[in-house]
Amino acid sequence: AGYEQVGHVLHLNLKPHHEPCGRLIGDVMLEKLKPSVRSVITKVGDIDGPFRTYDLKVLAGEDSTDITLVEHGVTLSFDLSKVYWSTRLSDQRTRSIEEEFQPGHVVADAFCGVGALCVRAAVDKDCTVVANDLNPDAVKYCLSNAAGNGVEDKVMATCGDARDFIAGLGDMSPLPHHLMLNFPLASTDFLSTLRSWPSIEPLDVETSVHVYTF
């Protein structure tokens, strides 16, 4: 079974043959990893629905999925049961911020989640970020995390369909320096929306489109 730690929560992905022993496994992991781990949970079923969330079952410890964690100096808070989160994407966020973004760049994030990339870009590189997510809870956390890290004036987020968001970016002048399409299941499906962007050259800004796939 795989696992990741998200704040105080240890998130397991138990295989079906492990499930009968789930609570025992939870107790053992909690005892081994406390005090940094206070809750052990497992995913129930598959990631599903437009928000890419899933049901969670508490195996041991506190019955709480309200998370606060620190990623490269930025504090993020959210309810793990209401949003999609992957700690494994932290390295990719760091790579984009350190190697691609420049101070003062405008970054557009079509699938912003709780704002990890948005807030870090604003804090670390003084970027202005326009963001979007279909999940209203994710947008709420993105904005609150921006405020909590003192960059609420740098991060703007809306709730809606990514296609509408991407199409609307074409009306910006200048265009954003970066467009982040971090939805590996279907990122490439959204590229056709870029046809609505201006094509008259020279453009003031040539946007780098970052497409994430599996």
Side-chain angles (χ1 to χ4, degrees), residues 94-134:
T94 299
R95 189 175 302 112
S96 295
I97 292 167
E98 293 183 351
E99 299 179 8
E100 302 285 346
F101 299 173
Q102 297 299 320
H105 270 183
V106 176
V107 178
D109 191 346
F111 307 95
C112 67
V114 302
L117 176 73
C118 304
V119 176
R120 287 184 56 191
V123 170
D124 294 346
K125 287 294 182 74
D126 195 33
C127 292
T128 297
V129 183
V130 288
N132 177 80
D133 203 281
L134 188 62

Side-chain angles (χ1 to χ4, degrees), residues 146-158:
N149 287 276
V151 289
E152 63 270 28
D153 60 330
K154 288 288 186 177
V155 178
M156 293 143 282
T158 58

